[in-house]
Amino acid sequence: FLRRESCWAKGGEPNLRYDWRKDGLELLEHKPRTITAVSDLELVPFLRDGEKSVRGCDLIGRARYELGADLGQEDAEFLFERQAEISVEFRPFYLPFTATIWRDLGGGHLVPCLCFVGERWYLVDRGRLEYVFDSYTRLLRPRRK
């Protein structure tokens, strides 16, 4: 997967409330929180005309280099802790946070995701990059002015 400089890569420790290293996952990439307000976010589709899905590595490339939608787990946790502020229009979508990448015990690569189930949002580590992401998925980015 793509590598890049981050404060974590330079030796700083990530500020994660839900640190899945204690569950045996390995943190491969991380970017600190960049968002400051839930209301400043917009949904970003990433599929191109004619596509039904893309692989995880393509999702990451588009998020980072094309769409300006490369948020990480600290951003996901910020939203998770402010669930009441998350727009209702976000609820139908699976929201991956591509700036944080984990490796599980089986060697699979994961990104944290927010998903709305029932009456609340859940923060999960189930965005497997070896699988595909489809039209039920959206990225988030700060609203363009």
Side-chain angles (χ1 to χ4, degrees), residues 98-142:
T98 58
T100 300
I101 300 177
W102 296 91
R103 182 171 35 222
D104 66 18
L105 295 173
H109 296 87
L110 310 164
V111 293
C113 297
L114 284 174
C115 59
F116 191 82
V117 178
E119 297 295 320
R120 64 178 302 237
W121 287 94
Y122 290 88
L123 177 63
V124 296
D125 64 350
R126 302 227 173 19
R128 293 192 65 85
L129 296 178
E130 288 80 12
Y131 296 160
V132 296
F133 293 82
D134 60 19
S135 62
Y136 294 103
T137 305
R138 291 289 187 277
L139 297 166
L140 293 175
R141 71 176 170 216

Side-chain angles (χ1 to χ4, degrees), residues 55-125:
R55 296 175 311 143
C57 58
D58 295 323
L59 175 73
I60 288 174
R62 291 176 190 183
R64 291 181 184 181
Y65 305 112
E66 296 175 25
L67 302 171
D70 192 30
L71 302 177
Q73 184 168 329
E74 288 183 28
D75 295 300
E77 290 178 1
F78 181 83
L79 268 69
F80 182 67
E81 293 167 2
R82 291 159 181 81
Q83 293 198 21
E85 300 174 38
I86 301 174
S87 174
V88 173
E89 74 175 295
F90 293 9
R91 289 181 181 177
F93 301 107
Y94 197 63
L95 306 173
F97 292 79
T98 58
T100 300
I101 300 177
W102 296 91
R103 182 171 35 222
D104 66 18
L105 295 173
H109 296 87
L110 310 164
V111 293
C113 297
L114 284 174
C115 59
F116 191 82
V117 178
E119 297 295 320
R120 64 178 302 237
W121 287 94
Y122 290 88
L123 177 63
V124 296
D125 64 350

